[in-house]
Amino acid sequence: MVAFVEPLADHDPRQVGGFRLQARLGAGGMGRVFLGYSPGGRPVAVKVVHPDLARDPEFMKRFRREVAAAQSVSDAYTAAVVGAGPDDSPPWLATTFVAGPSLAELVTRSGPLPEHAVWRLAGGLAEALQAIHAHGLIHRDLKPGNILIAADGPRVIDFGISRTTEGTVVTATHTTIGTPAYMSPEQAQGHPVGPASDVFSLGSVLAFAAAGAAPFGSSGTEMFAIAYRVVNGEPDLSGVPASLRPVIDACLAKDATARPAVSQLILDVARGAAVHPEITPGRFWPDQVAAVLESSAFTPVLPPPAPLTPPPQPSPATAAAGAQYAPTEAAVRRQYAPRTDAGFLEVDSPTAAAALTRLRRGPRWLLPAALSVAVAVGAAIAIVLALSSSPKPPSFLGTNSPTTATSGTSAATATRTP
């Protein structure tokens, strides 16, 4: 397994936005990148934003801009977006998985690219920039770490600080806009930038690929010293083959207006690459580079997608135990309090509603038993009344006189006497 595919850590998520995560692909200042699989088994790269940054409003503006930019660009030399959740917690972005190292890793571990491979790289990156600029976007951070080398060509990734040509740059005080060694002079000075800024960065990237070092200083050099050289110094192109020098020199012009447009650059690259031997049909890279990419050092061994498993079901014993301790109606009422002014109880949970229904109805044997008891009590009362003497008439009948109370016959006679 290559170094850029690592097992998941215990605290890493296992699923994001419907994608099952299987391994780590890398980590940076903004978060982590995972290898994931779609439900159909398609490998994807899932970028998950660090929770601390997700709480930063300025950073989230930048991330939403990245999502919008990546979704708008679809080209053979960019990584297509397959899903995004900028408003999820944590936010994430998923792109097609590119099975290959970054240009930075490839050159660091295997050395500078052969001359004819740099021409192929130049053509692919120029076409990628053409697609990005066609959507009114500027990448603003084109560097070897943001270029993946796949078997069928380069891929430009990470639109994290790209913006529209008419848009307003959204930054925070702790955010570095661009990488000093690959910035354009206008970018290093904080001036407005346009497509020509990406062309300057492309020149620095091609010099790195051909010579194995950035033309204005390595990452170990103090960043302000690099920025000064970008603005005022001359690039070190001593390790660049002579045939590539005119194209790279043109890209690295200090004056943005003197740099070639991307369309002109594509024509220049096509002419320069024509003097080199044809590429093997079906391959993008020369055989020497293709063999390196296919070697065990750079061929990722991906873990298979985890099988889809249904959620665990409770065992019969667990279900029976739960049935013995059903919630009382009072407990359910406390949990699902009345919500309407009319006093009706609104139950949000189907489980709670079913519990209330069972509790209101009571056991099925209760009603017949209650009726039987009522009939028995009524019969007992009737028997007692039948066996007892005639009760005295109630006082509310108006027969309160002692004389009338002693003889029913006399009372009747008295009522008929004139």
Side-chain angles (χ1 to χ4, degrees), residues 127-208:
E127 290 189 23
L129 289 182
Q130 187 177 50
I132 294 170
H133 296 166
H135 287 80
L137 299 171
I138 307 165
H139 191 287
R140 298 189 357 124
D141 197 22
L142 188 68
K143 61 183 180 180
N146 283 341
I147 299 167
L148 301 181
I149 305 300
D152 58 349
R155 298 289 191 281
V156 175
I157 62 170
D158 196 354
F159 294 82
I161 60 174
S162 63
R163 70 178 180 90
T164 61
T165 52
E166 293 85 16
T168 301
V169 181
V170 180
T171 64
T173 55
H174 60 274
T175 302
T176 301
I177 299 303
T179 303
Y182 299 93
M183 284 182 177
S184 65
E186 60 269 26
Q187 190 176 3
Q189 297 177 90
H191 296 164
V193 299
S197 179
D198 286 343
V199 172
F200 188 96
S201 299
L202 175 59
S204 295
V205 167
L206 296 179
F208 169 82

Side-chain angles (χ1 to χ4, degrees), residues 38-55:
S38 69
R42 179 186 185 184
V44 297
V46 182
K47 179 188 294 185
V48 179
V49 174
H50 193 281
D52 291 341
L53 291 177
R55 292 188 287 269

Side-chain angles (χ1 to χ4, degrees), residues 125 244 249 266 337 417:
L125 296 181
L244 290 163
D249 280 333
I266 292 176
T417 303

